[in-house]
């Protein structure tokens, strides 16, 4: 199942907030400790604010059927979005055709957070299930965990 989904940093400027860690899992780091960010004045997410970062990483579905893809994680301070809409939980999935890619961004809510707080928790899961072209679930198909992601840092 792992071969059906490819997750990688986005090609644009916001792709610098992600990288593949030593376990080949996608890591998201919007902090000054991110090794990809060379700007010495960058301090990370401003505490007490909200914001959005588009096109942080990409999910590509490589199998030959349609699939519903979504992200699960327990934290409320970060929402994973595609085209500005949440793709968290099965009810907010995005349906991908074979070899289709979706760019994933973040909505961040740092109101009430203390400096140095990890807003997004430690990890999130990217899940997928086979779907018919019109978005109906094939009977008997269960969601499969495709890729475990790691290290949300702020």
């Amino acid at each position: 199942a792992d071969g059906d989904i490819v997750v990688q940093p986005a090609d644009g400027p916001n792709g610098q907030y992600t990288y593949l860690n030593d376990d080949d899992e996608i890591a998201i780091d919007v902090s000054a400790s991110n090794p990809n960010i060379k700007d010495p004045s960058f301090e990370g997410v401003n505490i007490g604010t909200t914001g959005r970062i588009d096109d942080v990483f990409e999910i590509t579905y490589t199998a030959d059927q349609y699939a519903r893809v979504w992200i699960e994680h327990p934290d409320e301070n970060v929402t994973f979005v595609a085209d500005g809409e949440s793709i968290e939980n099965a009810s907010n999935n995005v349906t991908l055709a074979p070899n289709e890619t979706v760019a994933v961004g973040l909505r961040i809510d740092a109101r009430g957070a203390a400096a140095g707080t990890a807003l997004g928790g430690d990890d999130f899961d990217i899940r997928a299930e086979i779907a018919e072209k019109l978005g109906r679930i094939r009977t008997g198909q269960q969601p499969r965990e495709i890729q475990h992601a790691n290290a949300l840092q702020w």
Side-chain angles (χ1 to χ4, degrees):
D2 285 339
D4 294 345
I5 295 285
V6 176
V7 181
Q8 62 188 23
D11 286 334
N14 292 337
Q16 71 180 338
Y17 299 122
T18 60
Y19 52 87
L20 295 177
N21 66 18
D22 293 337
D23 296 323
D24 282 333
E25 295 174 337
I26 196 87
I28 302 172
D29 187 351
V30 187
S31 74
S33 66
N34 182 328
N36 293 334
I37 299 174
K38 306 299 183 206
D39 181 354
S41 65
F42 181 77
E43 296 180 2
V45 174
N46 292 323
I47 300 303
T49 65
T50 62
R52 190 169 104 191
I53 306 171
D54 293 323
D55 303 338
V56 175
F57 64 94
E58 297 174 337
I59 302 170
T60 302
Y61 178 65
T62 61
D64 57 1
Q65 296 176 304
Y66 285 78
R68 289 185 180 91
V69 177
W70 69 92
I71 296 175
E72 291 184 352
H73 80 105
D75 197 282
E76 294 181 3
N77 295 97
V78 176
T79 303
F80 292 89
V81 297
D83 295 322
E85 299 294 324
S86 172
I87 59 166
E88 291 185 2
N89 303 312
S91 61
N92 294 322
N93 71 76
V94 59
T95 300
L96 297 179
N99 297 309
E100 187 174 7
T101 298
V102 63
V104 178
L106 308 169
R107 272 197 314 245
I108 300 169
D109 185 348
R111 294 175 292 185
T117 300
L119 294 177
D122 290 332
D123 55 43
F124 59 96
D125 294 318
I126 299 171
R127 298 194 177 256
E129 67 185 4
I130 302 300
E132 292 183 20
K133 184 175 181 180
L134 297 177
R136 294 187 302 269
I137 300 172
R138 290 187 176 170
T139 56
Q141 293 291 324
Q142 295 295 316
R144 298 177 290 160
E145 182 174 331
I146 300 297
Q147 173 130 2
H148 180 76
N150 196 354
L152 283 170
Q153 295 181 325
W154 311 103

